[in-house]
């Protein structure tokens, strides 16, 4: 079945450093979504990418969808303590909007 | 304010007992989902419903049951047949059953004693 893997599993950075998480699917995705989950909280939608090679930016966050639509990345420039949390990618599996979530990357930011 | 309400937030259960987790949404969304999250892991789909009176099994439906009698409500029952029920349960909804972002509730944390 479809699998979505993310690397790294954990990342510790100093505040101000950049951070990148990578998402890889075993199958081609029609779209990919990214979510952020703060410690003790629930996932919150960040963005959806649909087009091959698409790049979208949200302030310090840059999202990219691969040309083959099987991989994606999230890059954070100059991390802040507010960026702490776990970042998940998710892609539709089968028909409808059933999302398969990646394993997540837990980001910790130290002062 | 519109949103998804899950209750209870914390629940303790003895082995062998069934427990029902509530999920209510006032977003007028068609589709609703239940996910399970274990520590340090991603979300796994338990059940989903694209329309009232219809629902389908997700990847880990064994030991769980659901109903969708009203558009606003999608309760999840964790039965005694679920071998490892201790987990964080998340309910979500989407406006369109075929696409779109998931809106999540705040979750219910179930602990089996």
């Amino acid at each position: 079945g479809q699998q979505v893997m993310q690397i790294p599993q954990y990342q510790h950075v100093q505040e101000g450093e950049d951070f990148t998480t990578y998402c890889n699917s075993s199958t081609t995705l029609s779209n990919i979504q990214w979510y952020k989950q703060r410690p003790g909280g629930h996932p919150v939608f960040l963005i959806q990418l649909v087009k091959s090679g698409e790049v979208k930016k949200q302030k310090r966050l840059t999202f990219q969808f691969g040309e083959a639509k099987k991989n994606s990345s999230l890059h954070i420039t100059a991390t802040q303590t507010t960026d702490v949390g776990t970042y998940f990618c998710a892609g539709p599996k089968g028909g409808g909007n059933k999302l398969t979530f990646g394993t997540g990357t837990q980001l910790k930011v130290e002062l | 304010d519109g949103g998804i309400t899950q209750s209870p937030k914390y629940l303790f259960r003895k082995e062998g007992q069934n427990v029902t987790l509530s999920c209510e949404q006032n977003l007028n969304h068609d589709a609703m989902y239940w996910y399970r999250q274990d520590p340090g892991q991603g979300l796994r789909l338990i059940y989903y419903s694209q329309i009232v009176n219809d629902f389908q099994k997700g990847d880990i439906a064994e030991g769980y049951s659901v109903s969708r009698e009203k558009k606003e409500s999608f309760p999840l029952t964790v039965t005694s047949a679920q071998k490892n029920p201790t987990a964080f349960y998340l309910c979500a909804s989407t406006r369109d059953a075929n696409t779109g972002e998931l809106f999540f509730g705040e979750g219910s944390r179930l602990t089996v004693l």
Side-chain angles (χ1 to χ4, degrees):
Chain A
Q2 176 183 307
Q3 292 185 340
V4 181
M5 303 298 294
Q6 276 183 259
I7 54 170
Q9 187 175 6
Y10 302 98
Q11 185 80 61
H12 288 202
V13 299
Q14 295 287 325
E15 189 177 40
E17 292 182 339
D18 292 356
F19 159 78
T20 305
T21 173
Y22 300 91
C23 177
N24 293 287
S25 170
S26 57
T27 58
T28 300
L29 300 170
S30 59
N31 67 78
I32 194 158
Q33 299 180 19
W34 284 91
Y35 291 80
K36 176 184 178 180
Q37 184 175 23
R38 293 182 185 274
H42 59 279
V44 175
F45 174 82
L46 294 176
I47 207 161
Q48 176 174 289
L49 304 173
V50 178
K51 299 177 183 178
S52 170
E54 188 171 14
V55 177
K56 285 188 176 180
K57 292 188 176 183
Q58 289 180 349
K59 297 183 180 178
R60 294 178 296 103
L61 278 61
T62 302
F63 304 84
Q64 187 167 4
F65 201 8
E67 293 290 342
K69 302 182 77 172
K70 295 180 72 174
N71 57 73
S72 181
S73 65
L74 159 59
H75 179 82
I76 302 178
T77 303
T79 54
Q80 300 176 358
T81 55
T82 53
D83 296 324
V84 166
T86 301
Y87 293 85
F88 293 98
C89 62
K93 172 184 178 181
N97 198 28
K98 304 183 301 295
L99 293 181
T100 296
F101 279 77
T103 46
T105 296
Q106 185 178 347
L107 172 64
K108 292 190 176 181
V109 180
E110 299 173 356
L111 293 172
Chain B
D1 288 347
I4 300 179
T5 302
Q6 288 188 241
S7 62
K9 194 168 185 177
Y10 299 95
L11 185 62
F12 297 89
R13 186 196 96 176
K14 293 182 179 179
E15 283 191 17
Q17 289 181 336
N18 292 353
V19 61
T20 297
L21 307 180
S22 170
C23 178
E24 303 279 332
Q25 55 101 355
N26 60 4
L27 300 167
N28 198 32
H29 284 177
D30 286 328
M32 298 186 73
Y33 310 80
W34 274 105
Y35 283 89
R36 169 182 172 141
Q37 185 175 32
D38 293 284
Q41 297 188 28
L43 285 68
R44 292 182 291 167
L45 182 63
I46 305 172
Y47 267 99
Y48 65 100
S49 169
Q50 295 178 303
I51 196 169
V52 175
N53 292 322
D54 186 52
F55 50 83
Q56 285 84 40
K57 294 181 179 179
D59 299 319
I60 55 166
E62 184 176 353
Y64 299 98
S65 66
V66 293
S67 63
R68 185 87 186 276
E69 297 176 0
K70 298 186 300 182
K71 188 175 185 177
E72 302 79 18
S73 179
F74 191 40
L76 173 74
T77 297
V78 185
T79 75
S80 57
Q82 169 50 232
K83 295 181 180 179
N84 296 297
T86 294
F88 188 46
Y89 291 89
L90 287 157
C91 179
S93 70
T94 56
R95 183 175 64 244
D96 187 320
N98 293 308
T99 188
E101 64 183 275
L102 292 178
F103 290 82
F104 284 89
E106 295 189 349
S108 293
R109 193 169 299 278
L110 172 63
T111 302
V112 174
L113 304 173

